[in-house]
């Protein structure tokens, strides 16, 4: 639909508006799967099969636009693309595809994508079968009321066992696997069947163009040229150029400047109709105006009530981020606000440290999420950061009856004021081949786990355990992969708080406490953790010209110590021959100097030591 010349006065006009698709011919779907089961490769083949990009512009994982995603081979941000497909019935369908991450740390991205769709392609590796994150994602899709199409990928592999995996889908997930489509996303085998299934088996979206505008804000990000770009799903009404829109949660009003869809390039259009997923820009300068899950409506004819948004994410890991240069504090604040716009599962609040100055306490959904955010701040915003040791959130019940949430071990109050401490627990689902079950159960018991359930599907076991989050968050995933030779898969969800006998362990370097390295542990594991961290720091801290004592302490009691030997300088190098007393005199002088340096010297701890010290091979 083209607007009149009068309507377009002073506005950008796009004469080549994409042909409007009737709502009955729109399909919105997400691709969900465990890590490395082929979501992004399948998205590539669907883009290729529908001709959305010319062959010369096709690259592998074309929707993984961040350098970090390509380097690590994982999807971090859910991406959307509109495909045009002429089906066997002769009609042309608009397929809105959302490629989602597979790692547990980015589960919030998955939940947001599912809210914008009516159906899901459940991709399962035909050689590996159903994994823990497959289960987690499919349950999220069922909760969102999705129609699910099971797809067996990698059937071209010699190890593929499609019949066995079909049984797993029925027995473990409880889905009817009779309509499962067998494909190879790598070679493009049977991709046409997937496209036909999308148009015949998924329901079209619902919506009414005559009702007041109601659009769900699914995602947003900051563009240095366009300002804030908003990804939204139209539920009712229409969105047009020049329309004044209102954010229902904040009341902020803006005028639409650009509107369009991703094909996967930004393709401008004149309007968006019900059921469509697209983007808008409206010269939004204030990052706080955009809240993920908000409802966008017309300013003059608003919707009566907002759409149901998303459940807010709850961070499970916190750490302090400080600028290496104190002058970069404001730049860090602005950068965190822009990143928060793009990553709604990331939280931050200001804090100060005696050693590190002004910074922010930041909340993440896991250690991988923490690493990705740090790396994005370094690359996208050119920030040099210092990070403190990660910590989970504890609840301190104090003697005066109050309850305090502790994010930072440095804020540990006087132990005499603490009545008892509660720590967060998780419910973990681990799928592992029978051969490695013993080692996995041993690891869970070593981490204070409580077995909830143990079931078998063929030669694979599914163990459900309750585990303290503190025991899981640092190196549990690495250890699980190690003891199972990479065959175990792991997913978890929060399972409340429970009392625990916990203590704060302080790390002292050269007699000075290092707040950034203090951590909280269960009393039974405190000494072992203290010794292990001291031993690790001995290898991580560069040697000085004097001996350095590395100690772990609970309160005033030292529980572990390592001594970093002095870096010897050959002061007698020039003394060849002659009286031995001259050499002794130089060595004594060096000894006195080292004593003074030990007394006044400051030990610089490299940034890499902080996170590496906590990733212990227990």
């Amino acid at each position: 639909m083209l607007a009149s010349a009068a309507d377009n006065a002073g506005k950008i006009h796009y004469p080549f508006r994409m042909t409007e698709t009737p709502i009955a011919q729109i399909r919105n779907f997400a691709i969900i799967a465990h890590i490395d089961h082929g979501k992004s490769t399948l998205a590539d083949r669907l883009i290729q099969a529908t001709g959305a990009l010319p062959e010369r512009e096709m690259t592998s994982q074309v929707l993984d636009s961040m350098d970090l995603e390509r380097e690590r081979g994982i999807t971090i941000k859910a991406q959307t693309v509109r495909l045009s497909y002429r089906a066997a019935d002769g009609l042309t369908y608009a397929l809105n595809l959302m490629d989602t991450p597979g790692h547990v740390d980015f589960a919030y991205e998955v939940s947001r994508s599912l809210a914008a769709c009516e159906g899901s392609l459940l991709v399962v590796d035909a050689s590996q079968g159903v994994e823990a994150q497959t289960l987690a994602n499919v349950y999220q899709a069922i909760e969102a009321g999705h129609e699910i199409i099971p797809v067996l990928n990698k059937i071209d592999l010699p190890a593929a066992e499609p019949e066995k995996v079909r049984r797993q889908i029925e027995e473990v997930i409880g889905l009817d696997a009779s309509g499962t489509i067998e494909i190879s996303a790598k070679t493009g085998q049977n991709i046409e069947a997937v496209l036909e299934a999308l148009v015949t088996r998924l329901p079209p979206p619902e919506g009414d163009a005559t009702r007041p505008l109601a659009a769900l804000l699914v995602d947003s990000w900051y563009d240095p040229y366009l300002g804030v770009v908003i990804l939204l799903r139209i539920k009712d009404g229409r969105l047009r150029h020049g329309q004044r829109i209102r954010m229902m949660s904040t009341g902020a009003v803006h005028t639409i400047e650009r509107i369009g869809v991703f094909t996967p390039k930004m393709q401008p259009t004149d309007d968006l109709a019900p059921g469509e997923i697209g983007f808008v820009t409206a010269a939004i300068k204030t990052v706080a105006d955009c809240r993920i899950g908000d409802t966008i409506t017309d300013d003059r004819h608003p919707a009566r009530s907002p759409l149901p948004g998303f459940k807010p994410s709850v961070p499970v890991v916190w750490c302090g981020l400080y600028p290496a240069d104190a002058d970069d504090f404001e730049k860090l604040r602005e950068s965190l606000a822009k990143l928060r716009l793009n990553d709604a599962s990331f939280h931050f609040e200001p804090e100060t440290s005696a050693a590190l100055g002004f910074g922010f306490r930041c909340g993440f959904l896991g250690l991988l999420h923490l690493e990705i955010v740090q790396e994005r701040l370094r690359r996208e915003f050119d920030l040099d950061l210092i990070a403190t040791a990660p910590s989970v959130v504890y609840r301190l019940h104090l003697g005066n009856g109050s309850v305090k949430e502790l994010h930072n071990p440095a804020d540990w109050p006087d132990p005499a004021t603490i009545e008892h401490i509660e720590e967060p627990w998780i419910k973990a689902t681990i799928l592992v081949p029978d051969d490695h079950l013993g080692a996995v159960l041993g690891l869970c018991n070593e981490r204070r786990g409580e077995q909830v359930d143990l079931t078998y599907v063929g030669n694979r076991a599914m163990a459900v355990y309750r585990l303290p989050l503190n025991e899981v968050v640092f190196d549990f995933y690495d250890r699980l992969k190690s003891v199972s030779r990479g065959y175990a898969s792991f997913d978890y969800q929060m399972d409340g708080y429970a009392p625990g006998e916990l203590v704060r362990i302080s790390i002292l370097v050269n007699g000075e406490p290092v707040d950034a390295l203090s951590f909280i542990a269960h009393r039974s594991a405190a000494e072992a953790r203290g010794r292990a961290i001291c031993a690790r720091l001995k290898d991580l801290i560069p040697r000085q010209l004097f001996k350095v004592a590395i100690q772990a302490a609970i309160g005033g009691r030292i529980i572990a110590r390592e001594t970093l030997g002095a870096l010897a300088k050959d002061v007698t190098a020039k003394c060849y021959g002659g009286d031995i007393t001259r050499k002794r005199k130089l060595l004594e002088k060096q000894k006195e100097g080292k004593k003074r340096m030990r007394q006044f010297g400051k030990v610089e701890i490299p940034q890499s030591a902080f996170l590496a010290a906590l990733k212990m091979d227990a």
Side-chain angles (χ1 to χ4, degrees):
M1 186 198 306
L2 294 179
S4 68
D7 289 340
N8 279 297
K11 286 192 291 183
I12 302 169
H13 178 57
Y14 300 102
F16 304 108
R17 196 248 190 267
M18 299 172 76
T19 307
E20 186 172 318
T21 308
I23 195 165
Q25 286 160 237
I26 296 174
R27 298 291 183 271
N28 299 322
F29 69 99
I31 304 180
I32 55 174
H34 188 76
I35 310 152
D36 286 338
H37 279 207
K39 293 180 299 298
S40 297
T41 310
L42 174 57
D44 288 353
R45 295 294 81 77
L46 292 173
I47 289 168
Q48 212 167 11
T50 54
L53 277 178
E55 279 300 321
R56 60 189 171 79
E57 291 182 27
M58 277 300 299
T59 57
S60 63
Q61 276 80 47
V62 72
L63 293 182
D64 290 348
S65 53
M66 287 164 53
D67 290 343
L68 264 174
E69 291 178 312
R70 293 178 179 280
E71 283 170 24
R72 290 176 178 247
I74 58 172
T75 302
I76 295 166
K77 284 293 298 175
Q79 300 288 344
T80 184
V81 59
R82 179 182 169 129
L83 310 172
S84 183
Y85 172 63
R86 190 171 180 80
D89 60 10
L91 297 174
T92 300
Y93 289 81
L95 309 177
N96 290 309
L97 176 161
M98 297 195 92
D99 181 23
T100 63
H103 199 282
V104 65
D105 281 19
F106 307 113
Y108 194 63
E109 284 286 325
V110 179
S111 68
R112 297 214 317 270
S113 303
L114 296 178
C117 302
E118 286 76 39
S120 294
L121 286 180
L122 173 66
V123 180
V124 183
D125 187 323
S127 62
Q128 292 182 13
V130 173
E131 301 279 15
Q133 200 64 31
T134 315
L135 279 174
N137 287 340
V138 81
Y139 290 152
Q140 279 197 63
I142 291 167
E143 245 178 71
H146 278 207
E147 183 69 37
I148 297 166
I149 301 172
V151 175
L152 288 189
N153 190 20
K154 307 187 186 181
I155 59 160
D156 55 322
L157 293 181
E161 298 175 292
E163 286 309 313
K164 182 180 166 186
V165 177
R166 278 177 200 266
R167 285 198 302 275
Q168 279 185 14
I169 290 172
E170 290 189 339
E171 292 170 17
V172 180
I173 302 174
L175 282 179
D176 177 14
S178 58
T180 303
I181 304 165
E182 296 183 12
I183 67 160
S184 168
K186 187 177 178 183
T187 63
Q189 181 183 340
N190 221 12
I191 294 298
E192 194 71 26
V194 176
L195 289 164
E196 280 298 319
L198 287 169
V199 301
T200 56
R201 290 165 62 179
L202 293 189
E206 294 177 359
D208 185 349
T210 62
R211 295 173 70 178
L213 173 67
L216 181 68
L217 201 162
V218 179
D219 200 0
S220 56
W221 57 94
Y222 189 82
D223 185 286
Y225 302 104
L226 303 173
V228 176
V229 182
I230 295 170
L231 180 72
L232 42 73
R233 155 73 196 271
I234 310 291
K235 296 285 186 181
D236 288 313
R238 280 183 179 275
L239 199 59
R240 295 185 176 88
H241 274 291
Q243 188 172 356
R244 283 177 67 77
I245 56 166
R246 186 195 305 167
M247 309 287 186
M248 288 188 82
S249 71
T250 62
V253 177
H254 300 280
T255 303
I256 298 287
E257 288 188 346
R258 286 171 186 263
I259 190 166
V261 294
F262 291 100
T263 64
K265 295 175 180 176
M266 277 183 157
Q267 173 69 47
T269 69
D270 275 339
D271 63 0
L272 287 174
E276 293 190 321
I277 296 172
F279 71 88
V280 296
T281 65
I284 301 170
K285 302 285 193 298
T286 313
V287 167
D289 282 355
C290 290
R291 293 185 182 170
I292 302 295
D294 197 356
T295 300
I296 294 173
T297 190
D298 187 83
D299 184 38
R300 283 182 294 183
H301 305 288
R304 285 185 183 177
S305 57
L307 298 165
F310 309 117
K311 285 188 291 187
S313 69
V314 180
V316 297
V317 182
W318 290 79
C319 91
L321 290 181
Y322 295 84
D325 181 351
D327 293 341
D328 284 342
F329 176 73
E330 280 305 321
K331 184 182 176 185
L332 176 59
R333 185 200 296 276
E334 288 172 19
S335 303
L336 290 174
K338 287 174 184 174
L339 196 62
R340 170 88 172 90
L341 180 74
N342 185 227
D343 186 351
S345 57
F346 164 64
H347 295 251
F348 68 95
E349 56 197 40
E351 74 164 6
T352 56
S353 159
L356 302 170
F358 292 101
F360 293 90
R361 194 82 193 152
C362 302
F364 309 91
L365 295 184
L367 272 199
L368 177 63
H369 189 205
L370 185 159
E371 286 181 36
I372 294 295
V373 167
Q374 268 188 265
E375 190 62 20
R376 286 186 69 184
L377 286 167
R378 187 181 70 79
R379 291 188 186 196
E380 295 174 26
F381 302 100
D382 195 26
L383 281 163
D384 190 9
L385 298 172
I386 296 168
T388 62
S391 169
V392 300
V393 181
Y394 298 94
R395 284 184 187 157
L396 305 184
H397 293 257
L398 305 178
N400 60 9
S402 64
V403 179
K404 177 185 176 184
E405 283 204 342
L406 185 76
H407 293 181
N408 188 348
D411 298 334
W412 187 267
D414 180 354
T417 65
I418 301 171
E419 197 172 273
H420 71 275
I421 306 161
E422 288 184 329
E423 61 180 328
W425 283 64
I426 61 164
K427 191 174 182 181
T429 304
I430 301 167
L431 281 154
V432 62
D434 207 10
D435 300 352
H436 304 291
L437 180 63
V440 169
L441 297 184
L443 175 65
C444 291
N445 292 331
E446 180 191 306
R447 298 299 174 95
R448 300 190 284 130
E450 299 170 0
Q451 192 177 113
V452 176
D453 194 15
L454 181 61
T455 52
Y456 286 86
V457 182
N459 66 340
R460 280 157 57 90
M462 185 169 83
V464 180
Y465 261 82
R466 284 189 79 242
L467 287 155
L469 182 60
N470 190 32
E471 300 285 351
V472 171
V473 82
F474 297 114
D475 62 341
F476 182 83
Y477 189 71
D478 296 341
R479 294 271 294 130
L480 179 68
K481 287 293 181 188
S482 175
V483 299
S484 67
R485 296 186 184 175
Y487 285 108
S489 64
F490 169 70
D491 179 66
Y492 68 83
Q493 60 194 59
M494 298 306 293
D495 195 34
Y497 278 73
E501 202 178 341
L502 301 156
V503 291
R504 183 182 77 158
I505 298 165
S506 304
I507 302 295
L508 294 86
V509 176
N510 202 28
E512 291 292 320
V514 182
D515 284 350
L517 282 173
S518 62
F519 63 96
I520 296 165
H522 194 265
R523 191 178 289 277
S524 63
E527 289 198 21
R529 288 281 302 273
R531 278 196 298 274
I533 283 197
C534 288
R536 179 64 69 91
L537 284 171
K538 184 183 175 184
D539 296 331
L540 293 167
I541 296 173
R543 290 169 72 189
Q544 312 292 312
L545 291 170
F546 50 92
K547 282 184 183 177
V548 176
I550 302 166
Q551 298 164 306
I554 299 174
R557 183 168 68 92
I558 303 295
I559 58 167
R561 173 183 171 132
E562 290 284 345
T563 304
L564 185 65
L567 184 68
K569 181 184 176 186
D570 190 359
V571 291
T572 62
K574 293 182 181 178
C575 300
Y576 40 89
D579 191 353
I580 190 66
T581 54
R582 176 153 173 73
K583 287 186 180 181
R584 282 189 187 144
K585 187 178 174 184
L586 286 167
L587 290 167
E588 286 297 321
K589 193 174 176 183
Q590 183 188 43
K591 199 174 174 183
E592 286 298 315
K594 284 190 178 180
K595 216 180 258 181
R596 280 200 305 277
M597 285 174 76
R598 189 176 176 191
Q599 192 177 346
F600 304 113
K602 188 180 176 188
V603 181
E604 291 290 335
I605 303 172
Q607 173 57 25
S608 57
F610 290 112
L611 203 55
L614 287 142
K615 287 193 172 180
M616 297 175 296
D617 295 316

